Tab-separated table of all heavy atoms in Angstrom:
chain	number	residue	atom	x	y	z
A	1	ILE	N	0.905	-1.184	-0.002
A	1	ILE	CA	0.016	-0.004	-0.009
A	1	ILE	C	0.916	1.254	0.041
A	1	ILE	O	1.761	1.385	0.845
A	1	ILE	CB	-0.910	-0.005	1.232
A	1	ILE	CG1	-1.841	-1.140	1.167
A	1	ILE	CG2	-1.668	1.258	1.239
A	1	ILE	CD1	-2.739	-1.345	2.474
A	2	GLY	N	0.721	2.160	-0.976
A	2	GLY	CA	1.494	3.291	-1.064
A	2	GLY	C	0.616	4.582	-1.125
A	2	GLY	O	-0.477	4.464	-1.745
A	3	ALA	N	1.000	5.728	-0.641
A	3	ALA	CA	0.271	6.930	-0.623
A	3	ALA	C	1.203	8.066	-0.474
A	3	ALA	O	2.192	8.056	0.256
A	3	ALA	CB	-0.786	6.933	0.448
A	4	VAL	N	0.795	9.235	-1.152
A	4	VAL	CA	1.666	10.319	-1.057
A	4	VAL	C	0.887	11.621	-0.743
A	4	VAL	O	-0.269	11.789	-1.252
A	4	VAL	CB	2.520	10.567	-2.272
A	4	VAL	CG1	1.638	10.847	-3.568
A	4	VAL	CG2	3.611	11.638	-2.139
A	5	CYS	N	1.394	12.518	0.080
A	5	CYS	CA	0.934	13.831	0.457
A	5	CYS	C	-0.475	13.758	1.056
A	5	CYS	O	-0.564	13.304	2.248
A	5	CYS	CB	0.881	14.721	-0.812
A	5	CYS	SG	0.678	16.411	-0.510
A	6	HIS	N	-1.552	14.135	0.446
A	6	HIS	CA	-2.919	13.889	1.018
A	6	HIS	C	-3.444	12.523	0.702
A	6	HIS	O	-4.577	12.146	1.212
A	6	HIS	CB	-3.841	14.990	0.571
A	6	HIS	CG	-3.644	16.382	1.076
A	6	HIS	ND1	-2.815	17.259	0.471
A	6	HIS	CD2	-4.041	16.959	2.240
A	6	HIS	CE1	-2.723	18.391	1.201
A	6	HIS	NE2	-3.511	18.212	2.281
A	7	GLY	N	-2.772	11.719	-0.124
A	7	GLY	CA	-3.227	10.316	-0.351
A	7	GLY	C	-3.504	9.569	0.914
A	7	GLY	O	-4.399	8.801	0.949
A	8	PRO	N	-2.605	9.667	1.980
A	8	PRO	CA	-2.802	8.904	3.167
A	8	PRO	C	-4.175	9.150	3.788
A	8	PRO	O	-4.485	8.533	4.786
A	8	PRO	CB	-1.563	9.264	4.043
A	8	PRO	CG	-0.503	9.557	3.035
A	8	PRO	CD	-1.272	10.301	1.871
A	9	SER	N	-4.900	10.248	3.480
A	9	SER	CA	-6.291	10.514	3.980
A	9	SER	C	-7.102	9.194	3.727
A	9	SER	O	-8.085	9.006	4.451
A	9	SER	CB	-6.930	11.672	3.305
A	9	SER	OG	-7.082	11.419	1.841
A	10	GLY	N	-6.823	8.458	2.688
A	10	GLY	CA	-7.492	7.188	2.545
A	10	GLY	C	-7.238	6.133	3.538
A	10	GLY	O	-7.979	5.111	3.602
A	11	LEU	N	-6.157	6.274	4.361
A	11	LEU	CA	-5.765	5.281	5.309
A	11	LEU	C	-6.328	5.551	6.701
A	11	LEU	O	-6.348	4.552	7.414
A	11	LEU	CB	-4.245	5.206	5.360
A	11	LEU	CG	-3.484	5.114	4.108
A	11	LEU	CD1	-1.960	5.133	4.373
A	11	LEU	CD2	-3.889	3.851	3.311
A	12	VAL	N	-6.800	6.785	6.917
A	12	VAL	CA	-7.036	7.147	8.339
A	12	VAL	C	-8.171	6.315	8.975
A	12	VAL	O	-8.207	6.008	10.195
A	12	VAL	CB	-7.370	8.581	8.513
A	12	VAL	CG1	-6.219	9.454	8.132
A	12	VAL	CG2	-8.586	8.978	7.760
A	13	ASN	N	-9.147	5.806	8.206
A	13	ASN	CA	-10.292	4.983	8.685
A	13	ASN	C	-10.204	3.502	8.331
A	13	ASN	O	-11.108	2.776	8.714
A	13	ASN	CB	-11.666	5.583	8.296
A	13	ASN	CG	-11.877	6.954	8.953
A	13	ASN	OD1	-11.486	7.125	10.083
A	13	ASN	ND2	-12.599	7.770	8.318
A	14	VAL	N	-9.079	3.062	7.730
A	14	VAL	CA	-8.951	1.680	7.405
A	14	VAL	C	-8.609	0.842	8.575
A	14	VAL	O	-7.678	1.237	9.389
A	14	VAL	CB	-7.871	1.467	6.192
A	14	VAL	CG1	-7.747	0.017	5.853
A	14	VAL	CG2	-8.314	2.268	4.978
A	15	THR	N	-9.236	-0.265	8.812
A	15	THR	CA	-8.850	-1.257	9.823
A	15	THR	C	-8.643	-2.577	9.288
A	15	THR	O	-9.123	-2.885	8.238
A	15	THR	CB	-9.956	-1.302	10.950
A	15	THR	OG1	-11.159	-1.850	10.304
A	15	THR	CG2	-10.281	0.067	11.553
A	16	TYR	N	-7.972	-3.404	9.999
A	16	TYR	CA	-7.954	-4.771	9.799
A	16	TYR	C	-9.255	-5.392	10.152
A	16	TYR	O	-10.102	-4.652	10.846
A	16	TYR	CB	-6.750	-5.481	10.500
A	16	TYR	CG	-5.407	-5.152	10.052
A	16	TYR	CD1	-4.693	-4.083	10.515
A	16	TYR	CD2	-4.839	-5.871	8.880
A	16	TYR	CE1	-3.363	-3.789	10.093
A	16	TYR	CE2	-3.610	-5.591	8.473
A	16	TYR	CZ	-2.909	-4.515	9.052
A	16	TYR	OH	-1.657	-4.158	8.542
A	17	LYS	N	-9.586	-6.653	9.822
A	17	LYS	CA	-10.850	-7.199	10.099
A	17	LYS	C	-11.159	-7.198	11.653
A	17	LYS	O	-12.336	-7.305	12.023
A	17	LYS	CB	-11.022	-8.589	9.403
A	17	LYS	CG	-11.060	-8.471	7.902
A	17	LYS	CD	-11.227	-9.831	7.277
A	17	LYS	CE	-11.223	-9.656	5.782
A	17	LYS	NZ	-11.282	-10.942	5.078
A	18	ASP	N	-10.087	-7.292	12.412
A	18	ASP	CA	-10.271	-7.376	13.819
A	18	ASP	C	-10.500	-5.981	14.476
A	18	ASP	O	-10.600	-5.809	15.709
A	18	ASP	CB	-9.093	-8.063	14.506
A	18	ASP	CG	-7.836	-7.288	14.500
A	18	ASP	OD1	-7.779	-6.076	13.887
A	18	ASP	OD2	-6.833	-7.766	14.944
A	19	GLY	N	-10.528	-4.892	13.596
A	19	GLY	CA	-10.805	-3.527	14.072
A	19	GLY	C	-9.555	-2.708	14.368
A	19	GLY	O	-9.641	-1.499	14.644
A	20	THR	N	-8.399	-3.343	14.350
A	20	THR	CA	-7.119	-2.577	14.535
A	20	THR	C	-6.845	-1.552	13.411
A	20	THR	O	-6.976	-2.031	12.180
A	20	THR	CB	-5.934	-3.547	14.627
A	20	THR	OG1	-6.166	-4.445	15.611
A	20	THR	CG2	-4.656	-2.747	14.888
A	21	PRO	N	-6.614	-0.280	13.637
A	21	PRO	CA	-6.353	0.690	12.563
A	21	PRO	C	-5.181	0.220	11.793
A	21	PRO	O	-4.126	-0.364	12.358
A	21	PRO	CB	-6.055	1.964	13.346
A	21	PRO	CG	-6.789	1.788	14.633
A	21	PRO	CD	-6.656	0.347	15.011
A	22	LEU	N	-5.206	0.321	10.489
A	22	LEU	CA	-4.169	-0.007	9.594
A	22	LEU	C	-2.745	0.602	9.954
A	22	LEU	O	-1.683	-0.076	9.934
A	22	LEU	CB	-4.500	0.394	8.121
A	22	LEU	CG	-3.382	0.285	7.066
A	22	LEU	CD1	-2.867	-1.125	6.938
A	22	LEU	CD2	-3.771	0.976	5.764
A	23	VAL	N	-2.852	1.875	10.378
A	23	VAL	CA	-1.637	2.629	10.595
A	23	VAL	C	-1.183	2.535	12.055
A	23	VAL	O	-0.051	3.042	12.382
A	23	VAL	CB	-1.771	4.120	10.320
A	23	VAL	CG1	-2.144	4.279	8.827
A	23	VAL	CG2	-2.852	4.746	11.239
A	24	LYS	N	-1.897	1.802	12.917
A	24	LYS	CA	-1.438	1.699	14.320
A	24	LYS	C	-0.047	1.020	14.445
A	24	LYS	O	0.103	-0.001	13.896
A	24	LYS	CB	-2.540	0.874	15.168
A	24	LYS	CG	-2.200	0.895	16.637
A	24	LYS	CD	-3.285	0.165	17.419
A	24	LYS	CE	-2.917	0.164	18.871
A	24	LYS	NZ	-3.904	-0.551	19.636
A	25	GLY	N	0.829	1.808	15.093
A	25	GLY	CA	2.241	1.208	15.307
A	25	GLY	C	3.055	1.286	14.075
A	25	GLY	O	4.280	0.846	14.110
A	26	LYS	N	2.500	1.750	12.953
A	26	LYS	CA	3.357	1.940	11.715
A	26	LYS	C	3.922	3.278	11.586
A	26	LYS	O	3.433	4.311	12.034
A	26	LYS	CB	2.369	1.719	10.494
A	26	LYS	CG	1.682	0.359	10.518
A	26	LYS	CD	2.566	-0.798	10.077
A	26	LYS	CE	1.867	-2.122	10.143
A	26	LYS	NZ	0.713	-2.142	9.202
């Protein structure tokens, strides 16, 4: 998964299926 500048806005609400935010700890 890649994103640049404001592109990471797409990541802020993404979670794994268990509810953990995609970006947590990253």
Side-chain angles (χ1 to χ4, degrees):
I1 296 172
V4 64
C5 198
H6 287 92
S9 61
L11 309 179
V12 297
N13 290 329
V14 178
T15 66
Y16 290 93
K17 289 178 181 175
D18 67 3
T20 303
L22 168 65
V23 299
K24 185 177 182 179
K26 302 284 180 60

